[in-house]
Amino acid sequence: MSPTEVLVSVLALLGGEAKYLPPIDLVDIRPAYASEAAEAFTRAESNRISLLTCTAAFRAAVRMDRWNADAWPFIKLASIITHEAWHVRHGPDERGAYEAQLFTLSRLGAGPGSRLHRGVRYSMLTVLKVKGSDP
């Protein structure tokens, strides 16, 4: 799949929610200001989502010939876009963004107990601890 086809597939997975998303740019190179762990980012002044195409999830999605029910990269990318959309709408609060991401994972079949859900929950707890928020 091309990067554009991956994005179209992810947006289709999000269904009606996709029409309310901010614009999404596909970015090949992680900028210096983005965290090394970031898979997407937003900049407050742009109100756009930048989705990194150099990540493991995005590269895995590109290697697939089509989306299918076991296509974890598409589910993960959908949750990442939801996380960043939350930031565009509500600001820098990580707790709310991660909660939106976890909800999306659950809605798409990767609920509590799944590897994806556990990974995102671990990331949330780590980020909240570093930022000094109560997990």
Side-chain angles (χ1 to χ4, degrees), residues 5-72:
E5 290 171 323
V6 168
L7 181 57
V8 168
S9 296
V10 170
L11 294 176
L13 184 60
L14 286 169
E17 178 185 342
K19 65 183 171 187
Y20 301 107
L21 292 172
I24 300 170
D25 300 316
L26 298 174
V27 179
D28 298 329
I29 300 170
R30 181 179 282 109
Y33 57 82
S35 160
E36 283 186 35
E39 297 185 79
F41 58 92
T42 59
R43 293 189 321 175
E45 67 276 4
S46 74
N47 290 325
R48 299 178 74 86
I49 296 170
S50 295
L51 184 62
L52 290 165
T53 60
C54 59
T55 65
F58 203 96
R59 288 192 319 262
V62 166
R63 286 191 302 271
M64 299 181 121
D65 59 353
R66 63 184 178 79
W67 182 87
N68 63 60
D70 291 329
W72 69 267

Side-chain angles (χ1 to χ4, degrees), residues 65-117:
D65 59 353
R66 63 184 178 79
W67 182 87
N68 63 60
D70 291 329
W72 69 267
F74 295 94
I75 294 170
K76 183 170 185 184
L77 292 169
S79 77
I80 290 166
I81 288 170
T82 300
H83 178 114
E84 296 304 328
W86 197 96
H87 282 308
V88 169
R89 292 180 190 119
H90 303 287
D93 175 56
E94 288 294 342
R95 179 182 300 280
Y98 273 110
E99 287 173 353
Q101 185 174 4
L102 290 167
F103 177 80
T104 297
L105 285 172
S106 294
R107 184 173 69 80
L108 297 176
S114 73
R115 183 174 171 216
L116 284 176
H117 200 278

